[in-house]
Amino acid sequence: MRRYLTAAKRYWLVILAILAVVWGAGLAGAYHEYANTYESQATIWVLRASPELTSSNPEDPGTPVIQTVASQQTELFTQLLQSDSFIRDVVERTSQRSTLERAANETKLLADVRKHFSVETLGTNMLRVSYTTSDPRTPVEMVNAAIAVRTERVLQARVTSTAAVGTLYRSEFDAAQKQALDAARELDGFKSSHPGTLTATDEAHQAQLQLAIDFAQARLSELRGRADRSAVAAAVLEMSGLEFEVVDEPRQQTTPSGGGRAAVLLALVSLAAGALLVALLVFVGALLADHVAGPLDVGRLAPARLFATVPRVSVGAGAGGSELRPALAAIAFDDGDSPSLSA
């Protein structure tokens, strides 16, 4: 721990510079995010449609639904926001349409718009759709356009599904009608072939033929009713407005809002990054100091007295390596009277 404190004291100016740059930039960015972000949101009340108004085939129960209606609608809205065509339709209904038309990279612009949308579940029957950006007018336009495009697409899908179910019912109705006509012709043929008094066996057979006709007529009436209900189900749901109702309309905000979470996250990231850089600097500084200078060892040797010196020996430029040994011997045994060797 001592060597890290020593390294921190040694590089305190660098540490202050790093913290000033990283923390200053992060806090400035967090303040800018908080002070220049506007949010508009809509609260929506949703209900599950009555089974009497749905166009599903009652003979096909399908998979049981275990999600709440709010979570279903939230998932639906989230999935729609993942498609570029949905985002494009939304943007084209706002003041950002000209920006979309001039965009050099439309995909990037749509992805940027998608990131500013947020859909969250508030309860079993309530959800919230919000949009945040730096322009105070854009959020309310985006939320209103998203809700409108979602409603149109859901109704279109419902009409398509209703048409498919209606086609199925018509095919079943045609088959049942053919069976009824065949049963009626068979009964007429039986009556024409047995004009007199019928035996017990013939009466039983005639009763069976009549029962087949009655069953076919009942089947026709049931299929006709299902086809009629499927034809008007989408229109009834559209006119009622109870399945998807906006209880809190989006409003244009005059003061910044919605940027608090992003600002806090940005500030925390900058603080963590600054602390990490300082810790890395102190660690590397302590490691290099131990490797190069050995500060603890030098501190322990500081009280030692000088016990020897090594003089510099100058050898002439023309001298060979064999003359170095006599020169060192002369220095070692010099009594102070002989002159020193020099170049």
Side-chain angles (χ1 to χ4, degrees):
M1 179 61 69
R2 181 180 176 183
R3 59 178 181 176
Y4 296 121
L5 294 177
T6 303
K9 293 179 181 179
R10 182 182 300 113
Y11 300 107
W12 68 274
L13 288 177
V14 180
I15 292 175
L16 289 180
I18 291 176
L19 294 180
V21 173
V22 178
W23 287 2
L27 294 178
Y31 175 77
H32 181 272
E33 182 71 19
Y34 176 78
N36 295 275
T37 300
Y38 295 87
E39 181 184 38
S40 182
Q41 57 187 13
T43 305
I44 303 169
W45 177 266
V46 291
L47 289 175
R48 183 170 284 116
S50 173
E52 297 179 355
L53 296 178
T54 58
S55 57
S56 60
N57 190 346
E59 297 180 358
D60 182 15
T63 305
V65 178
I66 59 176
Q67 289 181 306
T68 63
V69 61
S71 62
Q72 285 181 326
Q73 294 293 341
T74 300
E75 187 69 20
L76 171 63
F77 222 127
T78 303
Q79 292 177 7
L80 288 175
L81 289 173
Q82 300 306 313
S83 63
D84 289 344
S85 61
F86 180 84
I87 299 295
R88 186 182 301 106
D89 292 343
V90 171
V91 175
E92 288 179 350
R93 299 190 179 203
T94 66
S95 59
Q96 300 298 316
R97 179 175 183 176
S98 58
T99 304
L100 178 63
E101 294 174 351
R102 297 192 307 266
N105 190 343
E106 180 180 306
T107 303
K108 182 178 179 181
L109 177 62
L110 296 178
D112 183 68
V113 172
R114 182 182 298 111
K115 291 188 299 183
H116 291 81
F117 271 105
S118 176
V119 184
E120 56 181 333
T121 303
L122 302 181
T124 57
N125 294 86
M126 190 169 291
L127 59 98
R128 176 185 296 154
V129 180
S130 59
Y131 187 86
T132 57
T133 187
S134 58
D135 183 13
R137 297 179 303 172
T138 303
V140 62
E141 296 179 354
M142 287 291 184
V143 174
N144 284 327
I147 294 175
V149 175
R150 175 262 171 205
T151 302
E152 292 179 0
R153 294 212 172 190
V154 169
L155 290 178
Q156 181 63 35
R158 184 174 293 145
V159 169
T160 303
S161 176
T162 301
V165 174
T167 302
L168 175 62
Y169 285 153
R170 282 193 296 271
S171 63
E172 292 182 358
F173 180 83
D174 294 339
Q177 189 175 27
K178 183 177 181 300
Q179 292 178 357
L181 293 176
D182 293 341
R185 283 195 297 267
E186 187 175 356
L187 179 60
D188 293 339
F190 179 81
K191 288 182 178 180
S192 61
S193 62
H194 297 77
T197 303
L198 300 178
T199 63
T201 303
D202 293 338
E203 289 180 355
H205 183 63
Q206 183 178 357
Q208 291 178 354
L209 294 177
Q210 186 63 45
L211 182 62
I213 293 176
D214 295 340
F215 177 78
Q217 293 294 336
R219 178 65 174 169
L220 286 174
S221 299
E222 180 185 2
L223 291 175
R224 187 181 294 109
R226 291 182 184 178
D228 293 340
R229 286 194 298 270
S230 66
V232 300
V236 172
L237 288 174
E238 181 180 0
M239 290 185 297
S240 64
L242 295 177
E243 186 186 12
F244 192 88
E245 181 180 1
V246 180
V247 293
D248 290 334
E249 296 286 344
R251 298 180 180 180
Q252 180 175 337
Q253 301 294 330
T254 57
T255 57
S257 62
R261 182 180 303 177
V264 171
L265 180 61
L266 185 59
L268 292 178
V269 170
S270 65
L271 293 177
L276 182 61
L277 289 176
V278 169
L280 182 61
L281 174 64
V282 171
F283 175 77
V284 173
L287 185 63
L288 292 178
D290 286 346
H291 179 71
V292 176
L296 298 180
D297 295 336
V298 173
R300 287 195 298 268
L301 294 176
R305 297 176 60 186
L306 180 64
F307 56 86
T309 60
V310 179
R312 174 176 294 181
V313 178
S314 300
V315 182
S322 60
E323 296 181 0
L324 180 60
R325 182 175 298 177
L328 293 176
I331 294 173
F333 298 100
D334 187 11
D335 55 0
D337 296 333
S338 60
S340 60
L341 297 176
S342 60

